[in-house]
Amino acid sequence: MILMKDIIREGNPTLRATAKKVSFPLSQEDRDLGKKMMKYLEVSQDEKLAEKYHLRAGVGLAAPQIDVSKRVAAVLVPDNDGSIVFKDVLYNPRILRESVKRAALNEGEGCLSVDRNVAGLVIRTDRITLEYYDVNGERHEIKLENYPAIVVQHEIDHLNGTLFYDHIDKESPFKLPENTIIIE
Ligand SMILES: O=CN(O)C[C@@H](CC1CCCC1)C(=O)N1NCCC[C@H]1C(=O)Nc1ccccn1
Ligand code: NI
């Protein structure tokens, strides 16, 4: 089971590397990788279990965060009544289209691999068309918007060695650019 000690932090070069695509059919290792990343998210979102295993709750986890430089990310996005908005393990995810409209989370972003608060608006695309392959090698092409789209962009950034604060305007971190909405 993945624990916080398995999550690498800023300074580890893997976080700044470009991760490699996986090939299909997936090896058992790559299947297991996706499974254990999703398990982390499930356990971390269960208050009792998160406390028991000292996990920071997460809605996404990318393979580079556990020092595996492969293009694999798990996403588990709940909505505030606890139902699931989007849940899947993304293999070779790719953004096909981006809206002109931009979006940023009201309270900024954090990262399980960044042990400090970095304040500021993380400007992202509001709506994306996402292509990815699932554990069975099935191709998916889906549209996401607002919070789920933000989460997926945060994870795909990890596959490209980008961290959330790379998107924060150093001069004026809270400036809201044109055609950018705030997501509560
Ligand atoms: O790359 C992946 N990561 O670094 C885990 C991040 C991914 C999200 C950050 C912003 C968009 C994606 C993550 O999930 N967090 N960031 C650090 C601490 C909080 C935590 C979080 O937002 N938790 C949460 C939110 C709602 C419901 C339940 N839990
Ligand atoms: Ni992160």
Side-chain angles (χ1 to χ4, degrees):
M1 198 181 117
I2 296 173
L3 299 171
M4 289 309 291
K5 68 173 176 51
D6 304 310
I7 295 178
I8 64 171
R9 312 296 156 88
E10 284 178 289
N12 187 315
T14 305
L15 279 180
R16 288 304 190 177
T18 298
K20 306 252 174 321
K21 290 174 100 173
V22 295
S23 53
F24 288 89
L26 292 178
S27 61
Q28 192 51 49
E29 182 188 356
D30 290 345
R31 285 170 191 279
D32 293 347
L33 173 64
K35 220 163 124 195
K36 70 181 188 177
M37 285 162 57
M38 182 57 78
K39 190 86 196 132
Y40 175 90
L41 298 180
E42 289 165 345
V43 172
S44 79
Q45 289 186 25
D46 176 311
E47 243 166 79
K48 284 206 179 21
L49 291 177
E51 192 182 339
K52 179 176 176 193
Y53 294 105
H54 313 290
L55 307 183
R56 280 181 89 188
V59 292
L61 189 67
Q65 292 183 276
I66 54 171
D67 211 11
V68 175
S69 201
K70 292 183 179 178
R71 303 188 80 79
V72 185
V75 176
L76 177 54
V77 183
D79 69 14
N80 27 39
D81 71 9
S83 59
I84 292 172
V85 175
F86 183 52
K87 174 177 184 177
D88 214 348
V89 178
L90 316 178
Y91 290 91
N92 299 340
R94 187 161 72 105
I95 293 174
L96 299 179
R97 297 175 60 83
E98 299 193 334
S99 61
V100 171
K101 199 171 166 193
R102 294 268 172 273
L105 295 183
N106 182 43
E107 62 281 1
E109 295 186 14
C111 182
L112 297 179
S113 297
V114 177
D115 290 330
R116 60 195 171 99
N117 290 322
V118 183
L121 293 179
V122 179
I123 309 300
R124 296 190 185 278
T125 300
D126 183 45
R127 287 194 294 276
I128 60 172
T129 302
L130 170 71
E131 175 198 66
Y132 71 92
Y133 293 82
D134 66 21
V135 68
N136 304 312
E138 294 293 312
R139 179 180 180 275
H140 297 255
E141 184 172 319
I142 61 169
K143 291 186 190 313
L144 295 172
E145 66 174 343
N146 300 333
Y147 189 56
I150 297 253
V151 175
V152 167
Q153 289 174 75
H154 179 111
E155 300 318 323
I156 291 178
D157 268 357
H158 275 303
L159 309 183
N160 298 323
T162 300
L163 294 174
F164 73 91
Y165 51 74
D166 299 343
H167 299 287
I168 296 174
D169 182 325
K170 309 258 173 318
E171 274 65 58
S172 42
F174 293 95
K175 184 185 76 181
L176 189 63
E178 284 280 292
N179 68 35
T180 306
I181 62 161
I182 291 284
I183 297 173
E184 294 305 326

